[in-house]
Amino acid sequence: MPTIPNPYREGLQRRRANFQALSPLSLIRWAADVYPDHCAVVHGELRRDWRTVHARCRQLAGALAARDIGDGDTVAVILPNTPPMIEAHFGVPMTGAVLNSINTRLDPAMVAFILEHSASKVLIADREFSPTVGAALQILRDAGKPLPFVIDVDDPVFEGPGEPLGEIEYEAFLETGSPDHVYALPEDEWDAIGLNYTSGTTGNPKGVVVHHRGAYLNALGNVVAWNLPRHPVYLWTLPMFHCNGWCFPWTLAAVAGTNVCLRKVDAGLIFSLIRAHRVSHYCGAPIVHSTLINAPVAQRAGIDWSVRAMVAGAAPPASMIEGMNTLGFDVTHVYGLTEVYGPAAACAKHDHWDALDLAGQVSKNARQGMRYQVQEECTVLDPATMREVPRDGETIGEVMFRGNIVMKGYLKNPKATEEAFADGWFHTGDLGVLEPDGYVKLKDRAKDIIISGGENISSIEVEDALYKHPAVLACAVVAKPDDKWGETPLAFVELKPDAAVEPEALIAHCREHLARFKCPREVRFAELPKTSTGKIQKHVLRELVRSSSAIG
């Protein structure tokens, strides 16, 4: 049979008038055009509107372009949540270059590896981190590796130590560019916009490459998933180097919001800034929220409006969600990874949940939920058959994503990229179940599941029981080798200030909430190792257990 032409394709083509690559760069231009005088940035005594921030981003782009920074180049930053970090999220991609946001708590060797692996030509670094940066640069120098052009940021809010290391200070560098610098959106929306390195708990970290299209979509996805209003006042408790601040530097431009900067997490300062600026929204890991819940009552006084908080982590304990409700903060639970631009699923709430008692509401809200509207799929599959597991809340599989807010891949690492994208899905390595309503609930990381006497024990489930004890501030449960059972749960517990409890009492407490075989056989009290985003570093604890078991 002859092929019948499709009238909706013939003669109807993409043109300059009807197609433009998606990029978050268009969002800041919109904010500057529509709300030029609205406050965009607050930092100490500093106030800048969207017109000024847009002009400064263009200055940064112009200054970088004058140093021949452009398509395919990498610009690294080691910055806290300050105005230059916001400007870098727009100014760097305005040149066609890629922004490499480096974790500020990495050691010099890891920073040196990232600078070399990413071939970063420019490094913008805050003075606070000069000891680490200086040592990293020396490692590169000693190895005969190329050094980036270093730009110092001397933040007037920072009063601590640190020597300038670069060729020029940030404000002076901006003066070499023009606020009228002309920039273009990318020709291909799949061009890279960001490079974010994973934590690298074993071996070197992997460089996650994200693109303009995904950044644009997830910036708007945050608006839709969180029902963000126009002009929110957003407090930066979440590090902007972490998944590009979950895309919120770009999200705030999309709603012409106000960025309230914060150099470090401190409960007293956070409550003070919330009061001073009537903060409406903030994001953070569970430990950040727990810090606020356990702050002195006097610090929490005077906040008589509902603050909306977004929380993400492997699985926030139910006690944290309950504590935030008690505090009067409205919590939205999201889930994601660096490879999916930060949050890519949310526990969307239903009105009928309000009829449940507090425990029932907490149980519903503690789940990882459903995909963002801008993500195509998020579900739990049996990795052997690649079929969706039954929606019974019991059958464990691997959580997987696919869609527009999944990374391009890992930089210079085709093997890891192919493994991550096997069978047409992004494999998270997280184990979970599907509940009857289709919501995803995490059970554990594949490497964190405890197999005791042939039974799978979710470390998250045990931790959730521990968090229900009023003395527990933070906890982590890992496997301990056992001659009889293979592995048994071992709990590391960090107590609240002035709290006291015996290990036996915590074990007995767990037996009130769990089957006996799931309860920890041992409890150790310690300050838990955490990442800069507040995540507990279980790999450090696992290594500690392995070492002590080997010695024993």
Side-chain angles (χ1 to χ4, degrees):
M1 293 180 61
T3 302
I4 300 175
N6 185 330
Y8 295 101
R9 292 197 182 105
E10 297 295 325
L12 304 177
Q13 302 169 357
R14 289 184 182 181
R15 307 169 189 270
R16 184 178 179 185
N18 64 13
F19 178 82
Q20 177 61 62
L22 301 180
S23 169
L25 298 182
S26 65
L27 301 177
I28 190 171
R29 188 164 66 88
W30 176 88
D33 286 346
V34 182
Y35 296 104
D37 300 317
H38 188 80
C39 182
V41 173
V42 172
H43 185 48
E45 299 300 317
L46 175 69
R47 305 289 185 275
R48 289 193 180 121
D49 57 31
W50 278 107
R51 177 193 294 108
T52 303
V53 172
H54 185 222
R56 286 175 60 85
C57 293
R58 294 169 72 178
Q59 270 191 284
L60 175 59
L64 290 170
R67 292 197 58 83
D68 295 324
I69 298 299
D71 184 51
D73 291 329
T74 307
V75 175
V77 296
I78 302 182
L79 298 169
N81 292 345
T82 52
M85 185 59 142
I86 297 170
E87 292 161 6
H89 274 79
F90 294 96
V92 171
M94 282 176 180
T95 69
V98 176
L99 177 65
N100 174 18
S101 300
I102 299 178
N103 187 326
T104 59
R105 293 192 179 180
L106 293 179
D107 60 73
M110 193 62 73
V111 171
F113 167 81
I114 290 173
L115 290 173
E116 180 185 357
H117 186 263
S118 64
S120 293
K121 291 187 176 181
V122 174
L123 171 61
I124 305 174
D126 189 278
R127 179 169 59 87
E128 178 181 359
F129 311 115
S130 60
T132 298
V133 172
L137 294 175
Q138 190 59 49
I139 290 172
L140 294 176
R141 193 177 292 112
D142 292 343
K145 304 294 183 180
L147 297 178
F149 178 79
V150 180
I151 301 167
D152 290 307
V153 174
D154 192 5
D155 181 10
V157 172
F158 179 65
E159 298 178 347
E163 296 298 324
L165 299 171
E167 287 86 340
I168 190 170
E169 203 276 327
Y170 182 77
E171 293 298 328
F173 181 71
L174 250 61
E175 290 299 318
T176 67
S178 168
D180 298 319
H181 175 77
V182 177
Y183 64 93
L185 300 185
E187 291 186 11
D188 186 346
E189 61 190 16
W190 216 62
D191 282 349
I193 190 173
L195 174 64
N196 299 291
Y197 281 81
T198 60
S199 56
T201 55
T202 56
N204 288 322
K206 297 188 288 288
V208 175
V209 181
V210 294
H211 48 71
H212 282 257
R213 175 182 176 84
Y216 177 92
L217 288 172
N218 213 31
L220 298 184
N222 286 330
V223 177
V224 178
W226 210 8
N227 195 23
L228 269 177
R230 191 66 49 86
H231 305 317
V233 180
Y234 181 90
L235 178 62
W236 273 107
T237 55
L238 175 77
M240 272 185 251
F241 65 70
H242 182 52
C243 310
N244 297 109
W246 299 353
C247 293
F248 272 91
W250 302 312
T251 295
L252 269 292
V255 288
T258 300
N259 296 270
V260 180
C261 295
L262 179 71
R263 288 189 64 99
K264 65 177 182 178
V265 172
D266 175 85
L269 181 56
I270 287 172
F271 283 119
S272 175
L273 290 173
I274 290 175
R275 280 192 299 271
H277 304 293
R278 287 195 69 87
V279 166
S280 59
H281 296 75
Y282 75 92
C283 299
I287 192 67
V288 174
H289 301 279
S290 296
T291 299
L292 300 183
I293 293 168
N294 293 291
V297 175
Q299 292 184 356
R300 312 198 305 251
I303 301 173
D304 56 2
W305 63 95
S306 180
V307 178
R308 299 183 63 190
M310 187 176 274
V311 60
S319 62
M320 186 278 296
I321 296 177
E322 183 175 351
M324 294 302 288
N325 287 345
T326 303
L327 197 62
F329 286 19
D330 180 68
V331 179
T332 296
H333 180 200
V334 294
Y335 164 67
L337 306 91
T338 305
E339 289 87 343
V340 293
Y341 296 75
C347 189
K349 300 177 183 180
H350 292 264
D351 292 341
H352 66 267
W353 294 358
D354 294 340
L356 300 172
D357 60 16
L358 182 58
Q361 293 181 37
V362 167
S363 176
K364 293 289 188 183
N365 287 320
R367 300 178 299 171
Q368 281 58 45
M370 300 286 273
R371 66 191 179 278
Y372 263 29
Q373 290 91 330
V374 295
Q375 184 70 296
E376 197 62 28
E377 298 283 354
C378 173
T379 190
V380 180
L381 303 179
D382 180 332
T385 65
M386 294 304 292
R387 293 178 179 173
E388 192 171 86
V389 301
R391 296 187 175 192
D392 56 11
E394 297 290 338
T395 306
I396 294 178
E398 184 178 0
V399 182
M400 300 191 194
F401 284 96
R402 65 180 173 194
N404 288 304
I405 52 172
V406 175
M407 66 171 178
K408 294 185 71 165
Y410 297 114
L411 182 68
K412 304 174 187 175
N413 197 336
K415 181 176 182 293
T417 300
E418 290 304 314
E419 290 174 352
F421 290 148
D423 300 305
W425 290 82
F426 168 63
H427 297 243
T428 67
D430 286 331
L431 301 181
V433 298
L434 284 178
E435 300 213 324
D437 58 2
Y439 276 45
V440 172
K441 182 174 178 59
L442 285 193
K443 287 298 183 180
D444 229 328
R445 291 288 294 175
K447 60 191 175 187
D448 291 336
I449 204 80
I450 301 166
I451 304 174
S452 184
E455 297 281 357
N456 288 345
I457 301 174
S458 164
S459 66
I460 292 172
E461 186 178 2
V462 183
E463 289 159 5
D464 203 43
L466 285 166
Y467 274 116
K468 291 176 181 176
H469 195 284
V472 174
L473 175 64
C475 65
V477 175
V478 299
K480 179 182 179 182
D482 186 89
D483 292 337
K484 180 178 180 181
W485 301 106
E487 296 176 337
T488 57
L490 165 59
F492 288 86
V493 174
E494 186 174 333
L495 297 177
K496 295 177 182 178
D498 303 322
V501 64
E502 293 299 319
E504 294 76 15
L506 287 178
I507 294 172
H509 165 80
C510 287
R511 289 173 180 165
E512 297 175 5
H513 300 275
L514 300 169
R516 195 176 185 90
F517 78 92
K518 295 182 178 180
C519 297
R521 300 295 181 89
E522 180 184 352
V523 173
R524 300 181 189 177
F525 295 115
E527 182 177 349
L528 302 181
K530 305 176 187 73
T531 69
S532 55
T533 60
K535 294 181 181 178
I536 295 170
Q537 295 176 304
K538 282 192 176 181
H539 70 281
V540 175
L541 300 175
R542 283 196 297 268
E543 183 57 37
L544 179 64
V545 172
R546 279 195 293 266
S547 300
S548 60
S549 298
I551 294 171

